[in-house]
Amino acid sequence: MNISIITVGKLKEKYLKQGIAEYEKRLGAYAKIEIIEVPDEKAPEQLSDTEMQQVKQKEGERILAKLHPDAHVIALAIEGKMLTSEQLAENLDKLATYGKSKITFIIGGSLGLSDEVMKRANEALSFSKMTFPHQLMRLVLVEQVYRAFRIVRGEPYHK
């Protein structure tokens, strides 16, 4: 299985880079993983609704340009469906069973994802009703994908 994570913005924090690198290494036994960063749109702190839409639109165009046409796209969005780790594992296993070998997760920027990206997504996934920094979500996501592969294979993993 090929797992891609398209994410807005550069990761700067060393501790997050180290954590992500560890899970990427662990995931190598189960799948090919690729993290694709697209530039975030520079914007002032205070934005009008129109300006917010423009920022999401520009970031969305960059995301869509990186998507493989055959990819099954899972957008991370606060309004998405919440799953347990076991349910995520089951979903990934079903996708593999039905020949969906290219899975792309999308993590938007600080303003979220454009309507166009959400329309392209096959499903929306929420990790919580809380808001998290998108950089931290990279680490949480790669850990959960790793956990999913361990669950599917019946391998031990701490709860």
Side-chain angles (χ1 to χ4, degrees), residues 11-157:
L11 189 61
K12 298 172 188 85
E13 295 83 357
K14 185 178 178 185
Y15 69 97
L16 291 174
K17 286 181 178 180
Q18 290 172 329
I20 291 166
E22 176 62 27
Y23 283 108
E24 282 182 296
K25 184 174 80 178
R26 291 180 187 189
L27 267 166
Y30 304 100
K32 183 177 180 288
I33 184 156
E34 175 184 30
I35 297 179
I36 302 163
E37 293 178 336
V38 298
D40 54 347
E41 190 64 23
K42 302 296 177 223
E45 279 296 312
Q46 298 296 320
L47 294 171
S48 70
D49 287 345
T50 304
E51 290 170 322
M52 276 195 242
Q53 290 304 321
Q54 289 171 341
V55 168
K56 290 197 304 187
Q57 178 78 32
K58 288 178 183 173
E59 290 174 349
E61 289 168 4
R62 293 175 189 141
I63 291 167
L64 292 170
K66 298 292 184 182
L67 278 174
H68 191 281
D70 296 340
H72 181 88
V73 177
I74 303 170
L76 271 58
I78 208 162
E79 66 276 5
K81 186 176 180 182
M82 283 197 234
L83 302 174
T84 65
S85 296
E86 292 79 10
Q87 289 170 323
L88 177 62
E90 186 180 321
N91 284 2
L92 291 178
D93 192 41
K94 280 182 185 171
L95 289 169
T97 301
Y98 293 108
K100 297 286 185 184
S101 62
K102 289 182 177 67
I103 310 297
T104 300
F105 290 91
I106 299 176
I107 303 172
S110 57
L111 299 176
L113 293 166
S114 70
D115 291 340
E116 292 77 16
V117 171
M118 293 306 294
K119 284 180 187 132
R120 169 58 181 91
N122 298 94
E123 55 188 298
L125 175 65
S126 175
F127 279 79
S128 172
K129 293 291 181 201
M130 291 186 247
T131 303
F132 293 99
H134 53 281
Q135 297 92 339
L136 180 59
M137 279 314 301
R138 285 194 215 187
L139 177 58
V140 173
L141 177 60
V142 293
E143 187 280 334
Q144 283 298 303
V145 171
Y146 171 69
R147 182 182 295 262
F149 279 103
R150 300 282 297 190
I151 290 168
V152 165
R153 288 177 173 69
E155 297 172 353
Y157 196 76

